Amino acid sequence: MTNIPNQHAEQDDSTPMKTKTIRTPYDYHLLVQQLEEHGKTVYGPAFKIEEIDRPVVLKLLAYFLQDEEVAQSEGLDLRKGVFLTGKIGCGKTSLITLMRPLSADAYMPHMVSCREISFEFSKIGYDIISRYSRNAFFPYTDTPRVHCFDDLGVEQPVNHWGNSCNVMAEILLSRYDLWISNQMITHVTTNLNSQELEETYGNRLRSRMRGMFNLIAFNSDSIDKRI
């Protein structure tokens, strides 16, 4: 059993910083080291977890390990999904991919590109919306599949036989209803800010996103790892 300090401890002018000990079965310092080593194996020897990104990594580790006490201290609700936002190249997709092996099978997210979904819609049509919403259950069970929709906002408007559809908006709205009724968890990565999300998908979806997601944001000074 490991104790870690509460990162959200308060400090005033007259007393030392107050800390709260959080009990956890995980050694987060060791986990970050192991995650970095795994990242080097997957993405090459240049992979590195930057100091500025460690708060995001800690939140993601606590979430995907379902570590209730640490998650609670970080303001995360384990009944919701993750909405991971940050500028281009900061490492959103890489980190979610590296978190997948840490998840229990039922919680392991299936990564799917929003851009690929838009291409699928143009070929197949509205069945794509069902594939990622009301049909997104493990076979012969009522256990929903966890999906991570990668790069929300980069998909292009598409038509199928002359019918235009905001495919990702429809999928996310359907999954919101299924989150309410069947605890269907959804994760998203995006470069968009809140105003851009509303302009692209409308206020109706944005308001539901507040309910179904934990917002985790990279620091605006996080560097582009692709350079």
Side-chain angles (χ1 to χ4, degrees):
M1 188 74 71
T2 303
N3 296 333
I4 65 173
N6 184 355
Q7 293 197 16
H8 301 289
E10 298 177 353
Q11 185 177 25
D12 58 37
D13 294 333
S14 58
T15 60
M17 181 176 289
K18 302 171 185 177
T19 60
K20 176 184 177 183
T21 299
I22 304 161
R23 296 178 65 81
T24 173
Y26 302 105
D27 183 336
Y28 279 81
H29 179 71
L30 179 60
L31 283 169
V32 171
Q33 290 181 327
Q34 292 174 338
L35 196 70
E36 188 170 78
E37 288 304 311
H38 184 46
K40 291 180 186 297
T41 300
V42 175
Y43 296 108
F47 181 88
K48 180 182 179 183
I49 295 176
E50 303 289 342
E51 192 65 32
I52 196 171
D53 297 331
R54 286 180 179 254
V56 169
V57 173
L58 173 61
K59 287 180 171 67
L60 292 175
L61 283 170
Y63 180 89
F64 283 101
L65 291 168
Q66 296 286 289
D67 189 344
E68 292 185 6
E69 287 208 32
V70 176
Q72 183 178 18
S73 75
E74 293 293 327
L76 301 174
D77 186 339
L78 297 180
R79 297 168 298 179
K80 300 180 179 183
V82 167
F83 191 89
L84 186 60
T85 181
K87 62 186 183 182
I88 295 171
C90 64
K92 300 180 295 295
T93 304
S94 301
L95 281 180
I96 295 290
T97 300
L98 292 175
M99 295 292 164
R100 292 183 72 249
L102 301 176
S103 307
D105 289 345
Y107 293 97
M108 184 180 293
H110 172 63
M111 299 288 290
V112 56
S113 163
C114 295
R115 184 167 171 265
E116 290 299 322
I117 289 176
S118 69
F119 291 153
E120 289 177 339
F121 176 82
S122 67
K123 295 178 181 178
I124 300 172
Y126 288 90
D127 286 346
I128 288 300
I129 296 172
S130 298
R131 177 185 298 179
Y132 294 109
S133 56
R134 59 178 176 269
N135 291 337
F137 289 81
F138 286 98
Y140 312 111
T141 74
D142 58 359
T143 303
R145 291 184 182 273
V146 179
H147 281 81
C148 179
F149 297 105
D150 193 31
D151 273 341
L152 181 70
V154 303
E155 72 277 5
Q156 298 296 316
V158 289
N159 292 287
H160 178 71
W161 292 95
N163 297 313
S164 180
C165 177
N166 192 328
V167 182
M168 288 311 306
E170 293 301 326
I171 289 172
L172 291 172
L173 285 169
S174 295
R175 289 183 70 94
Y176 172 83
D177 293 337
L178 289 162
W179 172 64
I180 296 295
S181 62
N182 296 82
Q183 296 80 53
M184 180 177 280
I185 297 294
T186 304
H187 307 310
V188 163
T189 73
T190 187
N191 307 320
L192 301 184
N193 59 36
S194 58
Q195 181 178 346
E196 291 169 331
L197 280 168
E198 186 165 339
E199 291 173 354
T200 304
Y201 300 105
N203 184 61
R204 180 171 171 237
L205 177 56
R206 185 185 169 193
S207 67
R208 283 159 175 74
M209 284 179 169
R210 295 190 188 101
M212 67 190 290
F213 291 118
N214 295 286
L215 174 62
I216 301 179
F218 277 82
N219 191 296
S220 59
D221 293 327
S222 182
I223 64 172
D224 188 340
K225 280 76 171 181
R226 299 174 183 172
I227 297 177

